[in-house]
Amino acid sequence: MTIRGEAPPAGGRLRTAWAAAHAPVAGVPRWARRAAHAVPWTVLPSGLWRIVAVWTGDDHGRRAGDLPSWLPGGVYAVLLSVLCELLAFGAVGLVASWGEAFPRWVPVLRGRRVPTAVAVLPAALGAAALTTLWTVLGVVTEVAGMTLRGTPLPADYPGAQVGWSAVVFHLCYAPLLLWGPLLAAVTVAYWRRRRAGVIPAACPVPPWCG
């Protein structure tokens, strides 16, 4: 129980912020809401696999590969996974109020409507790039036994191994094939809704807007 005037517990603030970030605006089709909410989940398995694989390897995350010497492989895996997840979460903004009206904590732009092109162009370019990279080239190179650079897959490529490790690898990376197409579908829905002139409700939840 929270006494008036006291700050809510951390767990309560987290739940409130989570609900605010995912709350859809008026006019969002149910399929678009589900597709947008599914995008971060298509990225999460590969990120977790990447972190676990690097940190449980014989080198304990210190393998450099093509990385600079000052950046340990384990740190790179965590940073890359977090970055991918944040980018994937941007799809939720295409169905939520914070993707149509700038929250109040944004300097200068607070409360103003997000220009349609500002949201649609990056999302459309991202969807095209992701679809090309993962859904098309990813499948083609996997079947051909080549890397994206056109070189043969290395002997230690996880997907080429025998046993459960290869199965887990493919199960974790397969959802990435949906990232681009899902984002493209949600972007089209966002563009249609904005073109129709649907006015989003004001962003009501303090953790995101105040």
Side-chain angles (χ1 to χ4, degrees), residues 59-135:
D59 52 11
H60 302 291
R62 292 188 292 270
R63 183 170 51 193
D66 295 331
L67 300 177
S69 58
W70 52 265
L71 182 59
V75 175
Y76 170 78
V78 173
L79 293 177
L80 178 60
S81 299
V82 171
L83 176 61
C84 289
E85 199 62 35
L86 290 175
L87 291 175
F89 184 72
V92 178
L94 297 175
V95 300
S97 58
W98 57 272
E100 299 192 14
F102 291 104
R104 278 175 282 181
W105 52 262
V106 177
V108 181
L109 298 175
R110 62 187 66 182
R112 298 184 181 182
R113 296 198 70 185
V114 177
T116 303
V118 171
V120 170
L121 289 179
L125 291 175
L130 291 167
T131 301
T132 302
L133 177 64
W134 291 114
T135 311

Coordinates of all heavy atoms in Angstrom, one line a residue, residues 59-135:
D59 N 37.9 -18.8 -23.7 CA 38.6 -17.6 -23.5 C 37.9 -16.7 -22.5 O 38.4 -15.6 -22.2 CB 38.8 -16.9 -24.8 CG 37.5 -16.7 -25.6 OD1 36.5 -16.9 -25.0 OD2 37.6 -16.3 -26.7
H60 N 36.7 -17.1 -22.0 CA 36.0 -16.3 -21.0 C 35.7 -14.9 -21.5 O 35.8 -13.9 -20.8 CB 36.7 -16.2 -19.7 CG 37.0 -17.6 -19.1 ND1 36.0 -18.4 -18.6 CD2 38.1 -18.3 -18.9 CE1 36.5 -19.5 -18.2 NE2 37.8 -19.5 -18.4
G61 N 35.4 -14.8 -22.8 CA 35.0 -13.5 -23.3 C 36.1 -12.6 -23.7 O 35.9 -11.4 -24.0
R62 N 37.4 -13.1 -23.8 CA 38.5 -12.3 -24.1 C 38.9 -12.4 -25.6 O 39.9 -11.8 -26.0 CB 39.7 -12.6 -23.2 CG 39.4 -12.2 -21.7 CD 40.7 -12.4 -20.9 NE 41.1 -13.8 -20.8 CZ 40.6 -14.6 -19.8 NH1 39.8 -14.1 -18.9 NH2 41.0 -15.8 -19.8
R63 N 38.2 -13.2 -26.3 CA 38.6 -13.4 -27.7 C 38.4 -12.1 -28.5 O 37.4 -11.5 -28.4 CB 37.8 -14.5 -28.4 CG 38.2 -14.8 -29.8 CD 37.5 -16.1 -30.3 NE 36.1 -16.0 -30.0 CZ 35.3 -17.1 -30.1 NH1 35.8 -18.3 -30.4 NH2 34.0 -17.0 -29.9
A64 N 39.4 -11.7 -29.2 CA 39.4 -10.4 -29.9 C 38.8 -10.5 -31.3 O 37.9 -9.7 -31.6 CB 40.8 -9.8 -30.0
G65 N 39.2 -11.4 -32.1 CA 38.7 -11.5 -33.5 C 39.0 -10.2 -34.2 O 40.2 -9.8 -34.3
D66 N 38.0 -9.6 -34.8 CA 38.2 -8.4 -35.6 C 38.0 -7.2 -34.7 O 38.0 -6.0 -35.1 CB 37.2 -8.3 -36.7 CG 37.5 -9.4 -37.8 OD1 38.6 -9.8 -37.9 OD2 36.5 -9.8 -38.4
L67 N 37.9 -7.3 -33.4 CA 37.7 -6.2 -32.4 C 39.0 -5.6 -32.1 O 40.0 -6.2 -32.1 CB 37.0 -6.7 -31.2 CG 35.6 -7.4 -31.3 CD1 35.1 -7.9 -30.0 CD2 34.6 -6.5 -32.0
P68 N 38.9 -4.3 -31.7 CA 40.1 -3.6 -31.2 C 40.6 -4.3 -29.9 O 39.8 -4.9 -29.2 CB 39.7 -2.2 -31.0 CG 38.2 -2.2 -30.9 CD 37.8 -3.4 -31.7
S69 N 41.9 -4.2 -29.6 CA 42.5 -4.9 -28.5 C 41.9 -4.4 -27.1 O 41.9 -5.1 -26.2 CB 44.0 -4.7 -28.5 OG 44.3 -3.3 -28.5
W70 N 41.4 -3.2 -27.1 CA 40.9 -2.6 -25.8 C 39.5 -3.0 -25.6 O 38.9 -2.7 -24.5 CB 41.0 -1.1 -25.9 CG 40.4 -0.4 -27.1 CD1 41.0 -0.1 -28.2 CD2 39.0 -0.1 -27.2 NE1 40.1 0.5 -29.1 CE2 38.9 0.5 -28.5 CE3 37.9 -0.2 -26.4 CZ2 37.6 0.9 -29.0 CZ3 36.6 0.2 -26.9 CH2 36.5 0.8 -28.2
L71 N 38.8 -3.7 -26.5 CA 37.4 -4.1 -26.3 C 37.3 -5.6 -26.2 O 37.3 -6.3 -27.2 CB 36.6 -3.6 -27.5 CG 35.0 -3.9 -27.4 CD1 34.4 -3.2 -26.2 CD2 34.3 -3.4 -28.7
P72 N 37.1 -6.1 -24.9 CA 37.0 -7.6 -24.7 C 35.7 -8.1 -25.5 O 34.7 -7.4 -25.6 CB 36.8 -7.7 -23.2 CG 37.4 -6.4 -22.7 CD 37.1 -5.4 -23.7
G73 N 35.8 -9.3 -25.9 CA 34.7 -9.9 -26.7 C 33.4 -10.0 -25.8 O 32.3 -9.8 -26.4
G74 N 33.6 -10.3 -24.5 CA 32.4 -10.4 -23.7 C 31.7 -9.0 -23.6 O 30.4 -9.0 -23.6
V75 N 32.4 -8.0 -23.4 CA 31.8 -6.6 -23.3 C 31.1 -6.3 -24.6 O 30.0 -5.7 -24.6 CB 32.9 -5.6 -22.9 CG1 32.3 -4.2 -23.0 CG2 33.5 -5.9 -21.6
Y76 N 31.8 -6.6 -25.7 CA 31.2 -6.3 -27.0 C 29.9 -7.1 -27.2 O 28.9 -6.5 -27.7 CB 32.2 -6.7 -28.1 CG 31.6 -6.7 -29.5 CD1 31.4 -5.5 -30.2 CD2 31.2 -7.9 -30.2 CE1 30.9 -5.5 -31.5 CE2 30.7 -7.9 -31.4 CZ 30.5 -6.6 -32.1 OH 30.0 -6.6 -33.3
A77 N 29.9 -8.3 -26.8 CA 28.7 -9.1 -26.9 C 27.5 -8.5 -26.1 O 26.4 -8.4 -26.6 CB 28.9 -10.6 -26.5
V78 N 27.8 -8.0 -24.9 CA 26.7 -7.4 -24.1 C 26.3 -6.1 -24.7 O 25.1 -5.9 -24.8 CB 27.3 -7.2 -22.7 CG1 26.2 -6.4 -21.9 CG2 27.5 -8.5 -22.0
L79 N 27.2 -5.3 -25.1 CA 26.8 -4.0 -25.7 C 26.0 -4.2 -27.0 O 25.1 -3.5 -27.2 CB 28.1 -3.2 -26.0 CG 28.9 -2.7 -24.8 CD1 30.1 -1.9 -25.2 CD2 28.0 -1.8 -23.9
L80 N 26.5 -5.1 -27.9 CA 25.8 -5.3 -29.1 C 24.4 -5.9 -28.9 O 23.4 -5.4 -29.5 CB 26.6 -6.3 -30.0 CG 25.9 -6.7 -31.3 CD1 25.7 -5.5 -32.2 CD2 26.7 -7.8 -32.0
S81 N 24.2 -6.8 -27.9 CA 22.9 -7.3 -27.6 C 22.0 -6.3 -27.0 O 20.8 -6.2 -27.4 CB 23.1 -8.5 -26.6 OG 23.8 -9.5 -27.2
V82 N 22.5 -5.4 -26.1 CA 21.7 -4.3 -25.6 C 21.3 -3.3 -26.7 O 20.1 -2.9 -26.7 CB 22.4 -3.6 -24.4 CG1 21.7 -2.4 -24.0 CG2 22.6 -4.6 -23.3
L83 N 22.2 -3.0 -27.5 CA 21.9 -2.0 -28.6 C 20.8 -2.6 -29.5 O 19.9 -1.9 -29.9 CB 23.2 -1.7 -29.4 CG 23.0 -0.8 -30.6 CD1 22.5 0.5 -30.2 CD2 24.3 -0.7 -31.4
C84 N 21.0 -3.9 -29.9 CA 20.0 -4.5 -30.8 C 18.6 -4.5 -30.1 O 17.6 -4.3 -30.8 CB 20.4 -5.9 -31.1 SG 21.8 -6.0 -32.3
E85 N 18.6 -4.8 -28.8 CA 17.3 -4.8 -28.1 C 16.6 -3.4 -28.1 O 15.4 -3.3 -28.2 CB 17.5 -5.4 -26.7 CG 16.2 -5.9 -26.1 CD 15.6 -7.0 -26.8 OE1 16.4 -7.9 -27.4 OE2 14.4 -7.1 -26.9
L86 N 17.5 -2.4 -27.9 CA 16.9 -1.0 -27.8 C 16.4 -0.6 -29.2 O 15.3 0.0 -29.3 CB 18.0 0.0 -27.4 CG 18.5 -0.1 -25.9 CD1 19.6 0.8 -25.7 CD2 17.3 0.2 -25.0
L87 N 17.1 -1.0 -30.2 CA 16.6 -0.7 -31.6 C 15.3 -1.4 -31.9 O 14.4 -0.9 -32.5 CB 17.7 -1.1 -32.6 CG 19.0 -0.2 -32.7 CD1 20.0 -0.8 -33.6 CD2 18.6 1.2 -33.0
A88 N 15.2 -2.7 -31.4 CA 14.0 -3.5 -31.7 C 12.9 -2.9 -30.9 O 11.7 -2.9 -31.4 CB 14.3 -4.9 -31.2
F89 N 13.1 -2.3 -29.7 CA 12.1 -1.7 -28.9 C 11.5 -0.5 -29.6 O 10.3 -0.1 -29.3 CB 12.6 -1.4 -27.5 CG 11.5 -0.8 -26.6 CD1 10.6 -1.7 -26.1 CD2 11.5 0.5 -26.2 CE1 9.6 -1.2 -25.2 CE2 10.5 1.0 -25.4 CZ 9.6 0.1 -24.9
G90 N 12.2 0.1 -30.5 CA 11.7 1.3 -31.2 C 10.4 0.9 -32.0 O 9.6 1.8 -32.3
A91 N 10.2 -0.3 -32.3 CA 9.0 -0.7 -33.1 C 7.8 -0.5 -32.2 O 6.7 -0.2 -32.7 CB 9.1 -2.2 -33.5
V92 N 7.9 -0.6 -30.9 CA 6.8 -0.4 -30.0 C 6.3 1.1 -30.1 O 5.1 1.4 -29.9 CB 7.2 -0.7 -28.5 CG1 6.0 -0.5 -27.6 CG2 7.6 -2.2 -28.5
G93 N 7.3 2.0 -30.3 CA 6.9 3.4 -30.5 C 6.0 3.7 -31.6 O 5.3 4.7 -31.7
L94 N 5.9 2.8 -32.6 CA 5.0 3.0 -33.7 C 3.6 2.6 -33.4 O 2.7 2.9 -34.3 CB 5.5 2.1 -34.9 CG 6.9 2.4 -35.4 CD1 7.3 1.4 -36.5 CD2 7.0 3.8 -36.0
V95 N 3.3 2.1 -32.2 CA 2.0 1.9 -31.8 C 1.6 2.6 -30.5 O 0.5 2.5 -30.0 CB 1.7 0.3 -31.7 CG1 1.9 -0.4 -33.0 CG2 2.5 -0.3 -30.6
A96 N 2.6 3.2 -29.9 CA 2.4 3.8 -28.6 C 2.5 5.3 -28.7 O 2.9 5.9 -29.7 CB 3.5 3.4 -27.6
S97 N 2.0 6.0 -27.6 CA 1.9 7.5 -27.7 C 3.3 8.2 -27.8 O 3.4 9.2 -28.4 CB 1.2 8.0 -26.4 OG 1.8 7.6 -25.3
W98 N 4.3 7.6 -27.2 CA 5.6 8.2 -27.3 C 6.2 8.2 -28.7 O 7.2 8.8 -28.9 CB 6.6 7.6 -26.2 CG 6.8 6.1 -26.4 CD1 6.1 5.1 -25.8 CD2 7.9 5.5 -27.1 NE1 6.6 3.9 -26.1 CE2 7.7 4.1 -26.9 CE3 8.9 5.9 -27.8 CZ2 8.5 3.1 -27.4 CZ3 9.8 4.9 -28.4 CH2 9.6 3.6 -28.2
G99 N 5.6 7.4 -29.6 CA 6.1 7.5 -31.0 C 5.3 8.4 -31.8 O 5.6 8.6 -33.0
E100 N 4.3 9.1 -31.3 CA 3.5 10.1 -32.0 C 3.5 11.5 -31.4 O 3.3 12.5 -32.1 CB 2.1 9.6 -32.1 CG 1.9 8.3 -32.8 CD 0.5 7.9 -33.2 OE1 -0.3 8.8 -33.2 OE2 0.3 6.8 -33.6
A101 N 3.8 11.6 -30.1 CA 4.0 12.9 -29.4 C 5.2 12.8 -28.5 O 5.3 11.9 -27.7 CB 2.7 13.2 -28.6
F102 N 6.1 13.8 -28.6 CA 7.3 13.8 -27.8 C 6.9 13.9 -26.3 O 6.1 14.7 -25.9 CB 8.2 15.0 -28.2 CG 8.8 14.9 -29.5 CD1 8.3 15.6 -30.6 CD2 9.9 14.0 -29.7 CE1 8.9 15.5 -31.8 CE2 10.5 13.9 -31.0 CZ 10.0 14.7 -32.0
P103 N 7.5 13.0 -25.5 CA 7.2 13.1 -24.0 C 7.7 14.4 -23.5 O 8.5 15.1 -24.0 CB 8.0 11.9 -23.5 CG 8.2 11.0 -24.6 CD 8.3 11.8 -25.8
R104 N 7.2 14.7 -22.3 CA 7.5 16.0 -21.7 C 8.9 16.1 -21.2 O 9.4 17.2 -20.9 CB 6.5 16.3 -20.5 CG 5.2 16.8 -21.0 CD 4.2 17.0 -19.8 NE 3.6 15.7 -19.5 CZ 2.7 15.5 -18.5 NH1 2.4 16.6 -17.8 NH2 2.2 14.3 -18.3
W105 N 9.6 15.0 -21.1 CA 11.0 15.1 -20.6 C 12.0 15.4 -21.8 O 13.2 15.6 -21.6 CB 11.4 13.8 -19.9 CG 11.2 12.5 -20.7 CD1 10.1 11.7 -20.5 CD2 12.0 11.9 -21.7 NE1 10.2 10.6 -21.3 CE2 11.4 10.7 -22.1 CE3 13.2 12.3 -22.3 CZ2 11.9 9.9 -23.0 CZ3 13.7 11.5 -23.2 CH2 13.1 10.3 -23.6
V106 N 11.5 15.5 -23.0 CA 12.3 15.8 -24.2 C 12.4 17.3 -24.3 O 11.4 18.0 -24.5 CB 11.7 15.2 -25.5 CG1 12.6 15.7 -26.7 CG2 11.6 13.7 -25.4
P107 N 13.6 17.9 -24.2 CA 13.8 19.4 -24.2 C 13.3 19.9 -25.6 O 13.4 19.3 -26.6 CB 15.3 19.6 -24.1 CG 15.8 18.3 -23.4 CD 14.9 17.2 -23.9
V108 N 12.7 21.1 -25.5 CA 12.3 21.9 -26.6 C 11.1 21.3 -27.3 O 10.1 21.9 -27.6 CB 13.4 22.1 -27.7 CG1 12.9 23.0 -28.8 CG2 14.6 22.8 -27.0
L109 N 11.2 20.0 -27.7 CA 10.1 19.3 -28.4 C 9.0 18.7 -27.6 O 8.0 18.2 -28.1 CB 10.7 18.2 -29.3 CG 11.8 18.6 -30.3 CD1 12.4 17.4 -31.0 CD2 11.2 19.5 -31.3
R110 N 9.1 18.8 -26.3 CA 8.1 18.2 -25.4 C 6.7 18.6 -25.7 O 6.3 19.7 -26.0 CB 8.4 18.6 -23.9 CG 8.3 20.1 -23.6 CD 8.8 20.4 -22.3 NE 10.2 20.1 -22.1 CZ 10.9 20.3 -21.0 NH1 10.3 20.7 -19.9 NH2 12.2 20.1 -21.0
G111 N 5.8 17.5 -25.8 CA 4.4 17.8 -26.1 C 4.1 17.9 -27.6 O 2.9 17.8 -27.9
R112 N 5.0 18.2 -28.4 CA 4.8 18.3 -29.8 C 4.6 17.0 -30.6 O 5.2 16.0 -30.1 CB 5.9 19.2 -30.5 CG 6.0 20.6 -30.0 CD 7.1 21.3 -30.7 NE 7.3 22.7 -30.2 CZ 8.1 23.6 -30.7 NH1 8.8 23.3 -31.8 NH2 8.2 24.8 -30.2
R113 N 3.9 17.0 -31.6 CA 3.7 15.8 -32.4 C 4.9 15.4 -33.1 O 5.7 16.3 -33.7 CB 2.5 15.9 -33.4 CG 1.2 16.2 -32.8 CD 0.1 15.9 -33.8 NE 0.0 14.4 -34.0 CZ -0.9 13.9 -34.9 NH1 -1.6 14.7 -35.7 NH2 -0.9 12.6 -35.1
V114 N 5.2 14.2 -33.2 CA 6.4 13.7 -34.0 C 6.0 13.7 -35.4 O 5.0 13.2 -35.9 CB 6.7 12.2 -33.6 CG1 7.9 11.7 -34.4 CG2 7.1 12.1 -32.1
P115 N 6.8 14.4 -36.3 CA 6.5 14.5 -37.7 C 6.5 13.0 -38.3 O 7.3 12.2 -37.9 CB 7.7 15.3 -38.3 CG 8.1 16.1 -37.2 CD 8.0 15.3 -35.9
T116 N 5.5 12.8 -39.1 CA 5.4 11.4 -39.6 C 6.6 10.9 -40.3 O 7.1 9.8 -40.1 CB 4.2 11.4 -40.6 OG1 3.0 11.9 -40.0 CG2 4.0 10.0 -41.1
A117 N 7.3 11.8 -41.1 CA 8.5 11.3 -41.8 C 9.6 11.0 -40.8 O 10.4 10.1 -41.1 CB 8.9 12.4 -42.8
V118 N 9.7 11.7 -39.7 CA 10.8 11.4 -38.7 C 10.7 10.0 -38.2 O 11.7 9.4 -37.9 CB 10.7 12.5 -37.6 CG1 11.6 12.1 -36.4 CG2 11.0 13.9 -38.1
A119 N 9.5 9.5 -38.1 CA 9.3 8.1 -37.6 C 9.3 7.1 -38.7 O 9.9 6.0 -38.6 CB 8.0 8.0 -36.8
V120 N 8.7 7.5 -39.8 CA 8.5 6.5 -40.9 C 9.8 6.2 -41.7 O 10.1 5.1 -42.0 CB 7.4 7.0 -41.9 CG1 7.3 6.1 -43.1 CG2 6.0 6.9 -41.2
L121 N 10.5 7.3 -42.0 CA 11.7 7.1 -42.9 C 12.7 6.2 -42.2 O 13.2 5.2 -42.8 CB 12.3 8.4 -43.3 CG 11.5 9.2 -44.3 CD1 12.2 10.5 -44.6 CD2 11.3 8.4 -45.6
P122 N 13.1 6.4 -41.0 CA 14.1 5.5 -40.3 C 13.6 4.1 -40.2 O 14.3 3.1 -40.3 CB 14.4 6.2 -39.0 CG 14.0 7.6 -39.1 CD 12.9 7.6 -40.1
A123 N 12.3 4.0 -39.8 CA 11.7 2.7 -39.6 C 11.6 1.9 -41.0 O 11.9 0.7 -41.0 CB 10.3 2.8 -39.0
A124 N 11.3 2.6 -42.0 CA 11.2 1.9 -43.3 C 12.6 1.5 -43.8 O 12.8 0.4 -44.3 CB 10.6 2.9 -44.4
L125 N 13.6 2.4 -43.6 CA 15.0 2.0 -44.0 C 15.5 0.9 -43.2 O 16.1 0.0 -43.7 CB 15.9 3.3 -43.9 CG 15.6 4.4 -44.9 CD1 16.5 5.6 -44.5 CD2 15.9 3.9 -46.3
G126 N 15.2 0.9 -41.9 CA 15.6 -0.1 -41.0 C 14.9 -1.5 -41.4 O 15.6 -2.5 -41.4
A127 N 13.7 -1.4 -41.7 CA 13.0 -2.6 -42.1 C 13.5 -3.2 -43.4 O 13.7 -4.4 -43.5 CB 11.5 -2.4 -42.3
A128 N 13.9 -2.3 -44.3 CA 14.5 -2.8 -45.6 C 15.8 -3.4 -45.4 O 16.2 -4.5 -45.9 CB 14.5 -1.7 -46.6
A129 N 16.6 -2.8 -44.5 CA 18.0 -3.3 -44.3 C 17.9 -4.6 -43.5 O 18.7 -5.5 -43.8 CB 18.8 -2.2 -43.5
L130 N 17.1 -4.7 -42.5 CA 17.0 -5.9 -41.7 C 16.4 -7.1 -42.6 O 16.9 -8.2 -42.4 CB 16.1 -5.7 -40.5 CG 16.6 -4.7 -39.4 CD1 15.6 -4.3 -38.5 CD2 17.8 -5.4 -38.7
T131 N 15.5 -6.8 -43.4 CA 14.9 -7.8 -44.3 C 16.0 -8.3 -45.2 O 16.1 -9.5 -45.5 CB 13.7 -7.3 -45.0 OG1 12.7 -6.9 -44.1 CG2 13.1 -8.4 -45.9
T132 N 16.7 -7.4 -45.8 CA 17.8 -7.8 -46.7 C 18.9 -8.6 -46.0 O 19.4 -9.6 -46.5 CB 18.4 -6.5 -47.4 OG1 17.4 -5.8 -48.1 CG2 19.5 -6.9 -48.3
L133 N 19.3 -8.1 -44.8 CA 20.4 -8.7 -44.1 C 20.1 -10.0 -43.5 O 20.8 -11.0 -43.8 CB 20.9 -7.7 -42.9 CG 22.0 -8.3 -42.0 CD1 23.3 -8.4 -42.8 CD2 22.2 -7.3 -40.9
W134 N 19.0 -10.1 -42.8 CA 18.6 -11.4 -42.1 C 17.7 -12.3 -42.9 O 18.0 -13.5 -43.1 CB 18.0 -11.1 -40.8 CG 18.9 -10.5 -39.8 CD1 18.8 -9.2 -39.3 CD2 20.0 -11.1 -39.2 NE1 19.8 -9.0 -38.4 CE2 20.6 -10.1 -38.3 CE3 20.6 -12.3 -39.3 CZ2 21.7 -10.4 -37.6 CZ3 21.8 -12.6 -38.5 CH2 22.3 -11.6 -37.7
T135 N 16.6 -11.8 -43.4 CA 15.6 -12.6 -44.1 C 16.1 -13.1 -45.4 O 15.8 -14.3 -45.8 CB 14.3 -11.9 -44.2 OG1 14.0 -11.2 -43.0 CG2 13.2 -12.8 -44.6

